[in-house]
Amino acid sequence: MGGPSELHSKVLSSGLCTGCGACTSICPYLNAVEGRAVILEFCGKEEGRCYTFCPRTEVDLQYLRERIFETGEGDPSLGFYSSVLKARAGREGIRKRAQYGGTVSSLLLYALKKGKVDSIILTGSPDGIYPEPRIAKTEEEVLSCTGSRYLLSPSVGEVVRLLRKGEGGRIAFVGTPCQVLALRKLQVYEREWEVSRIKLVIGLFCTWALSHKAGEFLMAKLRGRKVRKFDIPPPPANLFVAETENGRIEFPLEEIRSFIPPSCRICFDMTAELADLSVGMVEGEEGWNTVILRSAGGIEFFEEARREGEVETAPLEGERLEHLKEASLTKRKRSAEEREKLGASYLRGG
Amino acid sequence: MGRIGVDQPGRRMLLSGNEAIARGALEAGVQVCSGYPGNPASEVVEALLEVSRDFDLYVEWSTNEMVALEVAGAAAATGLRSLTAMKNLGVDVCSDFLMTVNLSGTKGGFVLVTGDDPAAHSTTTELDTRNYARMADVPLLEPSTPQEAKEMTKWAFELSEELGLICMVRSVTRLSHSRGVVELGVLSRERRKPEFTAPPPWTSGSSTFACMFHDMLHQKMKTASEKFETSPFNKYEGPEHPNLLLITSGPSYTYSAEAVELLGLQDSVGILKLGTTWPLPEELLFKHLRLAQEVLFVEEIDPFLEQNVKMLAAEFASRGLKPPKFYGKKSGHLPAVGELNTELVLRALSGLTGVSYSPRPSEYASRAEELVGGYVPGRSMAFCPGCPHRASFWVMKRALKWEGREAVVTGDIGCYSMGLLPTGFSVEQTLHCMGAGIGTACGFGKLERFGFDKPVVSVSGDSTFYHACIPALINAKWNSSNLLHVVLDNSTTGMTGHQPHPGSGITASGEPSPPIRVEELCKGIGVEVKVCDPFEVDEATKTFYEMLKERGPRVLVFRHPCPLTESEKKKRKPRVYVDQEKCIGEECGCMAFCSRVLGCPANIWDYSKGKAKIDEVLCTGCGLCAKLCPAGAIVVEEEK
């Protein structure tokens, strides 16, 4: 365990901050600025939530799994799960607005409709580039956040704020693997706040995100055009694509890769393995999502939504599952190498 | 009517040194007074302001001391009696004019009152303005008591008029701000009509003329010196042949007299108290030096008398003077810095005469502890409760941390000089004199070509901005210096007692005058400018942060009135209290942020509960702590 000085020396000064917001909204001495946490002043405490909740400090993956899934076991590539399948929104309208199959939006809308949750923490963006955390309570608010964000957002901070203030009722959260990890650490280690209000955690597949500096780069690429959707078509395309209101803009993936922060390079988790449900694209097939069913609560909720027709499912082809596992394993291996280089052996997990 | 205008000659009143100076000016028939606020001299102008209507005086706060001296100088050139008062560093500012108006001379009595600040209680240096009298070759008077302050000021006008030369009266904090019994004299009701007739021109000349005027100045000073030989402001007390002679001036005289009396040395130690200290009364000194074997100089700040008298003693050697032994600051018998007091003089005297003296009874320390208790907490300097500067510095601190490169932040003179201290989160890194913040920032802001990769921020108050920052801002624009200048606009001259300034909308005497807005001036210069309220912390931080990243000269005005101004004090304040249920106290994430880091004197700690608390007597209801409390535990209850 540690406090702000360890957070500074082990995480912030090495550029490992993911900007998840877990520490910054607890504390008057920490601010979230452009995708990273900044320490204004050292409070002097030797131990603190800032260090405990951080997804880039020690992770006892086995303990976290035990607490969330009631078992320490897990697949070496995908973590603990019960099944993997394909899914998409039952409603065509949602599919049209979604990045891939609209599964996440459908599940969230169903949760709201059935009164299972009161507030959903999502990441929106006023300009399609710079992200901002949002608290959605209506269908329209949920749908305004569809689409992938490539820049880091302090969304976990919004959960912290709601828990701390006793607001927001039952909470659902959607985020990247690092955000999910922070949220689960918070849920498991926090003693004072009512963490049982966190009812549903949906993780999004992620190979890497972009630092805030990429924002200026993308703005320049767009040249004032309004972006509808960013995407990375599957290999061997090697492209970064922006679909705008005035057509498509493409450029080599390499150009954007220089904006991948160190915090993504050491990340071991592609599929948000501590989420209740993890959702990503289906490589090579448009209009569908890959869904990993993990926790008992997550499975129950997903099955209910399927029964009600909110999501449609199909089996995931064996070859595709193997491919997913391979990709996930590759990320784990690279992460171990990167951590070795950094001398960050304290970062366990995976 | 102000107390200094009482028309009862012979009445004895308690007056401060500054009030006594103002009264002396009234008795001399002063008609014009100017100044710029600065400790310890401000109240001279304020006392005259109070009686300005009844005595038909023109009194102004000028934008700076240079202008103030020029305003008074012009009035004096038309034959009116005029006075300017300023603090020590003000003389630096006006020295350009002083070094020429000494040559051009005056028609009416023209008096410059300077307030020196030994120990620099409220100043950035212990500057000794007596050196200016020597440098400018103008007569200098040093009062020791309020009574003398009144008499000397009155006489300074007569002397100035007789010589046709500006005269200086030097006070110090301890005299300016302490009160003593003053016997009032007759008030002058003479009202002169200004006349400015040319030729001769009012100028210091140049080339041959400058030399001619210089020579005339020397003649004037010779006359002054002759007058000083018999001045009643110089006096000797003690035996005819003292073993030890104290040569002293100003309040140091009173410490000397008290010390001699306490040690019972009246029969062996003499005191030569000088009231006219430049030019020195040479013959008077010759007479007393000849009779003494040892001399101790007792004076505050520089060894002014010490050095000049030693020089004279060397001259007197040719007239048969066997130079006595000299003691003072150089010998280490008295400290070369800080204020003097009776105890310091006692120690020096005791060391030189061998007469022992115990300044305090032996049981003093134990008695004091008994009465006061063993622990008296220290207090660091802090912004007042509700001060907008606290918000401004927190905003700057945050944004500078966000930016990440450790910025250079240059400070300036005013309440916000405390930006160097923890109360301003130690945001500022430099402090010199009025205007030096932005002036030095102009320099830091041009070092990029040599690899200096830091944002440059300068800070000034509003009054300081008008006083000394505008030429530097023009310089920044002209030479495209990369700097962000922050004006902490609290709509008053806060530190010196809320005197109005060009942005206030009124003059010193309360006449309305359209406010000159900082942002309008900046626009006129062509500098980008924004205005925001520092209490809107998040918005202000974003604005500052965005401007920090830009290039070229920029100005950001943080505007919020000082809560201590009369109009602000009259406003009803909301009640602020801590919901101790919500306060997270010692729990992680805060650790007494409000009382420990934010440091508002009204944010206190409830030790019995381990929770925060508001001192509702001190709180002004600004709500800054409520905005920053991470637990949202501080409640602002608006007045209904």
Side-chain angles (χ1 to χ4, degrees):
Chain A
M1 288 296 110
S5 46
E6 287 78 17
L7 185 76
H8 175 75
S9 61
K10 290 182 177 175
V11 181
L12 304 184
S13 64
S14 330
L16 297 187
C17 174
T18 69
C20 69
C23 63
T24 49
S25 57
I26 310 169
C27 175
Y29 311 103
L30 280 157
N31 281 176
V33 187
E34 295 174 358
R36 69 203 153 90
V38 171
I39 297 182
L40 302 181
E41 184 122 331
F42 288 95
C43 68
K45 293 229 175 214
E46 286 177 11
E47 287 189 6
R49 291 182 171 104
C50 56
Y51 188 85
T52 309
F53 299 166
C54 176
R56 291 295 177 257
T57 58
E58 290 90 339
V59 175
D60 188 341
L61 199 55
Q62 178 144 347
Y63 178 68
L64 291 173
R65 278 178 185 160
E66 279 168 15
R67 292 290 306 272
I68 296 157
F69 305 124
E70 291 172 356
T71 169
E73 299 297 307
D75 178 86
S77 60
L78 299 183
F80 176 81
Y81 73 95
S82 114
S83 60
V84 186
L85 40 83
K86 288 199 290 193
R88 65 177 187 179
R91 286 194 259 164
E92 201 190 337
I94 295 175
R95 289 206 294 272
K96 275 189 179 163
R97 290 179 74 160
Q99 181 89 9
Y100 303 115
T103 306
V104 175
S105 302
S106 297
L107 291 172
L108 295 175
L109 294 180
Y110 178 69
L112 274 184
K113 191 170 81 183
K114 286 284 165 183
K116 291 179 185 297
V117 297
D118 304 296
S119 311
I120 304 168
I121 312 303
L122 292 161
T123 302
S125 171
D127 52 16
I129 295 181
Y130 290 106
E132 65 179 24
R134 296 220 183 125
I135 302 173
K137 293 183 175 181
T138 65
E139 174 164 337
E140 205 30 57
E141 283 167 354
V142 169
L143 292 175
S144 75
C145 294
T146 55
S148 299
R149 313 276 164 238
Y150 284 86
L151 269 60
L152 304 157
S153 139
S155 301
V156 182
E158 290 307 310
V159 182
V160 170
R161 206 164 284 142
L162 292 180
L163 290 175
R164 171 137 261 177
K165 287 188 180 169
E167 293 169 2
R170 289 155 305 165
I171 297 165
F173 180 83
V174 181
T176 59
C178 55
Q179 292 171 335
V180 169
L181 178 54
L183 193 71
R184 289 306 197 193
K185 286 180 88 176
L186 181 161
Q187 222 175 340
V188 167
Y189 296 114
E190 174 54 36
R191 299 269 172 271
E192 308 265 340
W193 309 337
E194 206 186 335
V195 291
S196 61
R197 289 206 279 122
I198 302 170
K199 294 294 180 195
L200 177 66
V201 177
I202 299 180
L204 303 171
F205 293 4
C206 177
T207 21
W208 42 256
L210 298 172
S211 75
H212 244 72
K213 284 198 187 92
E216 280 171 41
F217 171 83
L218 292 173
M219 281 287 192
K221 286 280 181 197
L222 290 177
R223 291 195 306 270
R225 282 189 260 178
K226 205 167 179 233
V227 68
R228 275 205 206 115
K229 178 174 157 182
F230 288 113
D231 198 13
I232 301 171
N238 246 332
L239 287 176
F240 195 84
V241 175
E243 280 170 20
T244 76
E245 286 172 348
N246 312 78
R248 217 168 128 98
I249 299 172
E250 293 180 357
F251 52 88
L253 199 54
E254 273 318 302
E255 285 187 34
I256 201 88
R257 289 186 79 99
S258 61
F259 294 104
I260 300 172
S263 57
C264 293
R265 296 179 193 277
I266 64 149
C267 177
F268 61 85
D269 187 6
M270 192 185 92
T271 59
E273 64 173 82
L274 295 175
D276 293 311
L277 306 166
S278 300
V279 183
M281 71 191 291
V282 179
E283 212 159 84
E285 187 173 0
E286 276 190 36
W288 284 90
N289 291 108
T290 303
V291 177
I292 304 177
L293 302 181
R294 298 184 188 276
S295 72
I299 294 164
E300 194 187 317
F301 170 70
F302 185 82
E303 291 302 338
E304 211 181 304
R306 173 157 63 180
R307 275 200 303 277
E308 301 267 337
E310 294 293 336
V311 290
E312 294 171 7
T313 63
L316 184 74
E317 297 79 356
E319 193 186 318
R320 286 208 159 102
L321 180 59
E322 284 315 307
H323 190 70
L324 179 69
K325 285 187 173 184
E326 195 189 310
S328 186
L329 212 52
T330 308
K331 186 168 178 178
R332 267 180 155 62
K333 280 180 192 156
R334 281 212 194 117
S335 143
E337 285 164 23
E338 290 290 334
R339 271 175 282 157
E340 192 70 26
K341 274 191 223 163
L342 270 172
S345 54
Y346 59 88
L347 293 167
R348 292 201 313 273
Chain B
M1 185 173 70
R3 41 195 270 113
I4 65 155
V6 174
D7 192 4
Q8 293 171 18
R11 180 176 159 182
R12 291 154 67 83
M13 274 178 82
L14 264 183
L15 293 182
S16 71
N18 282 344
E19 288 171 325
I21 289 168
R23 171 74 190 197
L26 272 188
E27 291 182 8
V30 71
Q31 280 175 272
V32 170
C33 168
S34 61
Y36 181 81
N39 183 70
S42 313
E43 299 85 358
V44 175
V45 179
E46 282 173 345
L48 285 168
L49 258 176
E50 282 183 24
V51 297
S52 59
R53 198 157 296 186
D54 299 293
F55 286 82
D56 187 26
L57 311 180
Y58 174 68
V59 184
E60 75 165 40
W61 286 122
S62 312
T63 43
N64 64 34
E65 291 89 349
M66 176 83 150
V67 179
L69 189 69
E70 287 158 351
V71 165
T78 67
L80 306 191
R81 288 190 165 178
S82 62
L83 175 145
T84 308
M86 57 188 65
K87 71 181 293 161
N88 57 356
L89 287 157
V91 186
D92 289 340
V93 176
C94 76
S95 61
D96 231 357
F97 186 62
L98 179 62
M99 296 301 155
T100 46
V101 80
N102 57 347
L103 296 163
S104 60
T106 185
K107 196 158 102 189
F110 183 16
V111 174
L112 167 59
V113 175
T114 71
D116 284 5
D117 192 14
H121 294 288
S122 182
T123 315
T124 47
T125 93
E126 288 193 299
L127 179 84
D128 189 331
T129 56
R130 294 181 300 173
N131 297 298
Y132 275 104
R134 186 172 63 177
M135 185 152 67
D137 250 332
V138 299
L140 171 69
L141 307 178
E142 278 188 74
S144 300
T145 61
Q147 180 75 48
E148 238 183 21
K150 180 184 84 74
E151 303 305 338
M152 277 190 184
T153 306
K154 188 179 170 193
W155 187 58
F157 282 98
E158 289 159 24
L159 180 69
S160 164
E161 217 159 275
E162 220 176 307
L163 298 172
L165 179 59
I166 183 172
C167 282
M168 274 174 67
V169 175
R170 182 235 200 188
S171 181
V172 291
T173 308
R174 205 54 63 172
L175 172 62
S176 282
H177 287 176
S178 59
R179 286 173 191 273
V181 176
V182 175
E183 189 177 319
L184 304 181
V186 178
L187 288 164
S188 166
R189 292 284 181 177
E190 185 195 353
R191 282 297 162 265
R192 297 181 184 172
K193 193 170 174 299
E195 284 174 15
F196 189 68
T197 44
W202 186 41
T203 172
S204 61
S206 65
S207 77
T208 353
F209 287 101
C211 297
M212 192 176 87
F213 287 133
H214 196 178
D215 190 47
M216 281 165 64
L217 178 59
H218 290 161
Q219 292 305 316
K220 289 175 181 176
M221 288 300 277
K222 193 158 174 281
T223 311
S225 174
E226 283 158 12
K227 287 183 164 297
F228 288 175
E229 296 294 353
T230 55
S231 165
F233 296 124
N234 303 321
K235 65 174 184 186
Y236 174 77
E237 51 197 52
E240 202 182 333
H241 291 272
N243 297 337
L244 176 65
L245 175 68
L246 307 190
I247 299 181
T248 183
S249 67
S252 303
Y253 159 69
T254 59
Y255 310 143
S256 303
E258 196 178 350
V260 168
E261 194 188 317
L262 283 170
L263 292 179
L265 292 168
Q266 294 94 326
D267 295 337
S268 58
V269 175
I271 302 175
L272 178 61
K273 173 217 167 282
L274 296 179
T276 68
T277 47
W278 193 257
L280 285 168
E282 297 187 7
E283 290 309 314
L284 183 71
L285 281 159
F286 180 68
K287 180 180 137 196
H288 288 283
L289 288 176
R290 222 172 32 163
L291 301 172
Q293 291 149 25
E294 294 185 325
V295 170
L296 172 68
F297 295 98
V298 187
E299 61 187 320
E300 286 187 309
I301 314 187
D302 285 347
F304 181 81
L305 298 174
E306 184 171 336
Q307 287 172 351
N308 290 308
V309 170
K310 279 179 182 171
M311 223 153 32
L312 280 177
E315 279 178 46
F316 294 155
S318 65
R319 290 166 65 186
L321 175 84
K322 183 177 171 289
K325 281 187 185 162
F326 289 114
Y327 306 106
K329 292 180 191 290
K330 192 172 182 207
S331 65
H333 285 82
L334 284 165
V337 297
E339 271 190 308
L340 292 186
N341 55 40
T342 305
E343 197 176 319
L344 287 166
V345 182
L346 277 170
R347 274 192 216 155
L349 275 181
S350 180
L352 289 169
T353 59
V355 178
S356 70
Y357 173 75
S358 166
R360 286 169 180 163
S362 54
E363 74 279 9
Y364 182 89
S366 54
R367 279 277 294 144
E369 195 174 324
E370 209 175 284
L371 290 168
V372 182
Y375 174 69
V376 181
R379 257 187 72 185
S380 64
M381 289 169 85
F383 292 125
C384 306
C387 178
H389 296 342
R390 179 177 290 103
S392 297
F393 280 108
W394 182 250
V395 162
M396 286 192 264
K397 161 147 187 150
R398 277 175 89 200
L400 290 168
K401 288 282 179 185
W402 291 7
E403 209 279 342
R405 291 176 293 163
E406 293 180 355
V408 176
V409 183
T410 62
D412 219 304
I413 305 297
C415 297
Y416 50 89
S417 296
M418 289 194 288
L420 282 163
L421 307 176
T423 191
F425 318 109
S426 305
V427 164
E428 288 176 355
Q429 296 153 325
T430 79
L431 180 60
H432 295 97
C433 58
M434 300 281 283
I438 184 169
T440 53
C442 281
F444 286 116
K446 289 305 292 184
L447 300 179
E448 197 178 5
R449 66 172 67 195
F450 304 113
F452 192 75
D453 177 32
K454 282 172 187 283
V456 178
V457 178
S458 53
V459 179
S460 82
D462 38 355
S463 193
T464 301
F465 181 80
Y466 301 110
H467 178 291
C469 296
I470 296 167
L473 182 64
I474 294 173
N475 184 71
K477 173 70 182 170
W478 183 30
N479 291 306
S480 340
S481 192
N482 281 319
L483 65 90
L484 171 56
H485 183 63
V486 175
V487 181
L488 303 181
D489 182 353
N490 58 4
S491 308
T492 187
T493 315
M495 195 170 211
T496 48
H498 302 106
Q499 294 83 0
H501 61 55
S504 304
I506 51 162
T507 65
S509 53
E511 297 295 319
S513 170
I516 300 161
R517 292 285 184 185
V518 174
E519 59 270 32
E520 297 300 327
L521 273 165
C522 295
K523 282 177 199 159
I525 296 168
V527 171
E528 184 201 341
V529 60
K530 282 188 182 145
V531 182
C532 53
D533 182 343
F535 283 111
E536 299 300 329
V537 179
D538 288 337
E539 193 192 319
T541 309
K542 275 182 201 138
T543 308
F544 181 85
Y545 178 59
E546 290 307 324
M547 290 188 88
L548 194 60
K549 292 193 287 190
E550 291 164 23
R551 296 180 59 77
R554 296 140 281 157
V555 175
L556 176 56
V557 182
F558 284 135
R559 181 168 290 146
H560 196 99
C562 171
L564 297 183
T565 54
E566 286 308 315
S567 57
E568 288 298 309
K569 276 197 280 191
K570 280 184 196 134
K571 288 184 186 165
R572 298 188 71 173
K573 58 178 191 180
R575 179 179 171 241
V576 180
Y577 64 93
V578 175
D579 178 348
Q580 292 196 335
E581 290 291 307
K582 280 192 183 170
C583 172
I584 54 179
E586 298 285 341
E587 201 201 333
C588 161
C590 166
M591 207 174 170
F593 171 74
C594 57
S595 56
R596 188 176 63 93
V597 174
L598 196 57
C600 173
N603 287 111
I604 54 177
W605 197 248
D606 185 342
Y607 285 95
S608 64
K609 305 219 177 68
K611 302 272 181 166
K613 199 173 150 183
I614 304 285
D615 184 333
E616 294 189 22
V617 175
L618 291 179
C619 177
T620 66
C622 77
L624 177 67
C625 58
K627 279 184 182 149
L628 298 179
C629 170
I634 306 180
V635 184
V636 180
E637 210 172 68
E638 290 296 337
E639 279 285 333
K640 282 173 196 134

